[in-house]
Amino acid sequence: MFYFLLVILSVSVADGWSDNRQRRFKDDFLFGTASASYQVEGAWDADGKSESIWDRYVHSRPKLSPDGDVACDSYHQISRDVQMLRELGVDFYRFSIAWTRVLPSGFPNKIKEKGLQYYHNLVDELLKYNIQPMVTLYHFDLPQSLQDLGGWTNPLSITWFEDYARVIFENFASKVPHFITINQPNTVCVDGYGGDNFAPGINSLGVGDYLCVKHVMLAHAKAYRLYEKEFKTKHQGSVGIAISVNWIEPINNQTENVEAAEVAREFSIGLYVNPIWSKEGDFPALVKERVAAKSKEQGFLTSRLPTFTPEEKDLLKGSSDFLGMNHYTTGLAQPSAAKYPSPSFLDDMSVDFTQSLDWVQGTSPWLKSAPFGLYKSCLYLNKQYGYPTIIITEHGWSTNLGRKDPSRVDNLRAYLTALLFAIEDGTVVKGYTAWSLMDNVEWGAGVSERFGLYEVDFNSQNRHRSPRVSAHVYKRIIEQRVVEDTWRPTSLKMEVSTRRTGKNKSEL
Ligand code: GBH
């Protein structure tokens, strides 16, 4: 008897999460997929669109190939893009609006009707098939004209964004139920201003990056309050922000590594979540203390991390209807051995990351599969911030060319299973978004890293799209509401999902 118990115990421990219960996504759980303007639209200078920081960044670096000039040609392929969404049977499509297409000067003094029309056509086509649009206002592509004025390091960027947001809300609030203000402030700021690997590549380490964070957070809050005050009563939509929440685990349970992981979570997650979801409406205390101390040591008279006024904290606090969570991978933390440039964000944090050799590697160098990290991220947010309403606004996997993508199928199933466990343990998750609908321009990496449920042939005139195995598997999950271990499509031919057979809202 004792031996028998021991066997059961060790099997269930080894197996981690498996038991016999079948976990389902409730009928009102929303499934979607996503893209972003620069990554799919192409037509980079068509119909009066102005230059964005990504156009400039890629065009001025001879080593980078200008894949974004044409990208997936989505600017000319609305019906094909929406057809794919109907095939998948998704509830919503997350895409972004290019600021430069709508307001080429960066300001609302000149509104480009043709730019607006493209998004109206896309939104109308989605609504025709009962697919909800989820619109990101800013996904990394600032007008270069505003960058020339300092971009997000200029405090006036808060007003520039608010004015742009007003134009978008005025035009789309009646049709669009979900808005995301800004995608991944950490990428916008720490990658974009605290280095050279991401547009605009300002290289202002430990200074420009934090200035940007302050203004991006306030720009978000202003746009949220604008919608709340002038659009919400009438249109009843929701407005959130998409934050990069990758999991950080200590490399082992030694105290110094556990502490390093805690520090790293405050620097990479808390910096953006705390101002909105904590009662103080401010950056995390730990980050404020660390950056202030380092700054002093370095001879600065004030902390490199800017502060918020009491009014700004009030503006920030609670300024989101949902926490958009972009989750891809997990890092293992330990105190840094490496010497980072001083000052810099990395020096302030002083944590090094590795990933386990046991985790499957994607095509992107930073991407390994560790599904437990999604579960732990959710529980962490619940504990720290009191069960916020979450939408997974991105999760995905990169492969090479080819329509057979077993590693994406495995990754999708494992992460959705982890999500079901997080939901069972109390996480409030309204929806899940697969990144990405189709292969697209992976920023500086161009079209070499392929994140699509649909493969795109970048050598063909019309950027021909074809479904991968994972597209069929995702479609099946959306229909069945469960994650099956072994189901496979019998052919790669795709038809419109029975959930989206073309009936419009009034018919349903
Ligand atoms: C998301 O974040 C983006 O929102 C989306 O546009 C993108 O396509 C998707 O992820 C997949 O990457 O090579 O070690 O220097 C992307 C954030 C920022 C993650 C740059 C990878 C490069 C790390 N990315 N980062 S490294």
Side-chain angles (χ1 to χ4, degrees):
M1 183 61 187
F2 176 72
Y3 177 74
F4 179 67
L5 272 178
L6 206 69
V7 169
I8 291 186
L9 205 69
S10 55
V11 165
S12 61
V13 168
D15 231 353
W17 279 336
S18 64
D19 58 30
N20 292 327
R21 217 174 309 163
Q22 190 182 50
R23 291 167 176 83
R24 312 184 76 252
F25 290 100
K26 294 215 174 93
D27 291 338
D28 63 355
F29 185 89
L30 301 174
F31 283 102
T33 182
S35 70
S37 46
Y38 179 77
Q39 297 183 274
V40 300
E41 286 176 3
W44 77 277
D45 62 351
D47 295 336
K49 178 187 168 296
S50 69
E51 187 188 26
S52 79
I53 54 173
W54 270 97
D55 299 322
R56 173 70 64 90
Y57 184 83
V58 172
H59 292 158
S60 60
R61 282 165 175 76
K63 277 192 188 144
L64 300 181
S65 92
D67 295 335
D69 291 2
V70 182
C72 307
D73 193 36
S74 281
Y75 190 63
H76 303 111
Q77 303 225 28
I78 287 176
S79 63
R80 175 63 179 129
D81 287 353
V82 176
Q83 187 196 345
M84 296 190 288
L85 297 161
R86 294 168 60 208
E87 289 169 0
L88 293 169
V90 288
D91 301 296
F92 68 92
Y93 179 43
R94 178 182 172 214
F95 63 94
S96 82
I97 291 183
W99 192 333
T100 51
R101 234 182 248 299
V102 178
L103 307 180
S105 71
F107 301 103
N109 59 323
K110 283 200 191 87
I111 301 180
K112 265 281 168 233
E113 289 306 323
K114 281 198 169 165
L116 273 181
Q117 197 56 52
Y118 166 65
Y119 299 109
H120 276 296
N121 293 345
L122 174 56
V123 165
D124 293 346
E125 184 76 0
L126 291 167
L127 294 175
K128 186 163 138 194
Y129 298 108
N130 203 21
I131 299 166
Q132 302 172 20
M134 179 186 283
V135 168
T136 309
L137 272 62
Y138 185 75
H139 200 122
F140 306 161
D141 48 354
L142 197 75
Q144 181 61 43
S145 59
L146 299 183
Q147 192 60 52
D148 294 341
L149 302 173
W152 294 109
T153 63
N154 188 331
L156 292 172
S157 60
I158 301 165
T159 311
W160 304 338
F161 183 73
E162 191 187 4
D163 290 350
Y164 161 59
R166 176 181 293 281
V167 173
I168 301 305
F169 293 153
E170 277 171 357
N171 277 278
F172 295 102
S174 63
K175 301 176 173 180
V176 169
H178 315 288
F179 290 98
I180 291 168
T181 54
I182 288 171
N183 186 64
Q184 294 187 182
N186 71 316
T187 309
V188 174
C189 298
V190 179
D191 293 351
Y193 290 76
D196 188 39
N197 292 327
F198 214 79
I202 297 297
N203 255 322
S204 171
L205 285 72
V207 178
D209 37 18
Y210 293 128
L211 282 174
C212 170
V213 173
K214 172 178 178 172
H215 302 137
V216 161
M217 295 311 292
L218 288 171
H220 154 79
K222 281 275 189 189
Y224 178 85
R225 299 299 173 199
L226 170 65
Y227 186 91
E228 183 181 46
K229 190 160 168 253
E230 297 185 33
F231 300 89
K232 194 157 193 150
T233 314
K234 183 149 181 223
H235 301 295
Q236 298 293 312
S238 65
V239 179
I241 181 170
I243 296 175
S244 171
V245 186
N246 290 315
W247 182 238
I248 297 165
E249 180 81 1
I251 192 162
N252 59 36
N253 62 10
Q254 283 174 17
T255 309
E256 60 186 52
N257 301 326
V258 172
E259 282 170 6
E262 281 163 10
V263 169
R265 281 177 214 133
E266 293 286 36
F267 270 86
S268 54
I269 304 172
L271 193 60
Y272 315 98
V273 177
N274 217 73
I276 303 175
W277 279 273
S278 74
K279 16 180 214 318
E280 58 272 15
D282 198 0
F283 295 131
L286 182 144
V287 178
K288 289 196 294 183
E289 284 155 23
R290 282 227 167 190
V291 181
K294 283 258 182 189
S295 301
K296 201 170 174 191
E297 257 172 57
Q298 292 155 346
F300 291 87
L301 296 183
T302 49
S303 176
R304 288 177 283 101
L305 182 69
T307 54
F308 293 120
T309 65
E311 294 74 39
E312 289 171 339
K313 290 179 191 173
D314 285 341
L315 195 74
L316 283 160
K317 237 185 301 180
S319 65
S320 226
D321 299 320
F322 59 87
L323 194 165
M325 174 173 169
N326 292 358
H327 181 94
Y328 286 89
T329 193
T330 287
L332 302 174
Q334 59 191 315
S336 70
K339 265 263 165 256
Y340 293 110
S342 165
S344 68
F345 174 87
L346 289 177
D347 181 61
D348 292 336
M349 179 168 67
S350 289
V351 174
D352 288 340
F353 299 104
T354 52
Q355 290 179 309
S356 168
L357 294 170
D358 297 338
W359 302 342
V360 178
Q361 174 79 53
T363 307
S364 314
W366 51 274
L367 183 57
K368 280 196 169 206
S369 190
F372 77 93
L374 176 57
Y375 175 83
K376 285 205 162 186
S377 299
C378 288
L379 266 67
Y380 175 76
L381 293 173
N382 293 344
K383 185 162 170 235
Q384 296 279 315
Y385 302 104
Y387 293 81
T389 298
I390 293 173
I391 298 177
I392 307 294
T393 38
E394 284 180 32
H395 161 260
W397 184 249
S398 55
T399 59
N400 293 315
L401 255 181
R403 294 173 69 186
K404 289 198 174 148
D405 56 349
S407 65
R408 181 174 290 101
V409 169
D410 289 349
N411 179 268
L412 177 69
R413 284 179 169 150
Y415 273 80
L416 283 178
T417 302
L419 187 61
L420 282 168
F421 280 94
I423 293 169
E424 182 167 299
D425 289 348
T427 313
V428 184
V429 190
K430 298 250 179 260
Y432 167 89
T433 316
W435 183 273
S436 174
L437 172 60
M438 63 191 131
D439 293 342
N440 57 51
V441 181
E442 182 54 19
W443 308 108
V447 299
S448 60
E449 296 172 18
R450 290 168 178 262
F451 278 88
L453 296 169
Y454 283 70
E455 177 172 273
V456 174
D457 178 1
F458 290 100
N459 294 318
S460 68
Q461 182 73 40
N462 66 351
R463 301 300 192 262
H464 186 74
R465 294 116 157 88
S466 22
R468 291 201 165 98
V469 173
S470 58
H472 289 269
V473 170
Y474 191 40
K475 172 184 190 167
R476 169 89 179 176
I477 292 171
I478 297 171
E479 279 168 5
Q480 303 288 317
R481 321 303 289 178
V482 296
V483 179
E484 297 154 306
D485 292 340
T486 54
W487 182 87
R488 268 179 198 76
T490 48
S491 110
L492 283 180
K493 204 172 151 293
M494 253 298 188
E495 276 157 26
V496 170
S497 163
T498 51
R499 299 177 84 245
R500 291 288 173 271
T501 40
K503 289 182 199 158
N504 66 31
K505 254 194 181 126
S506 55
E507 292 169 276
L508 284 170

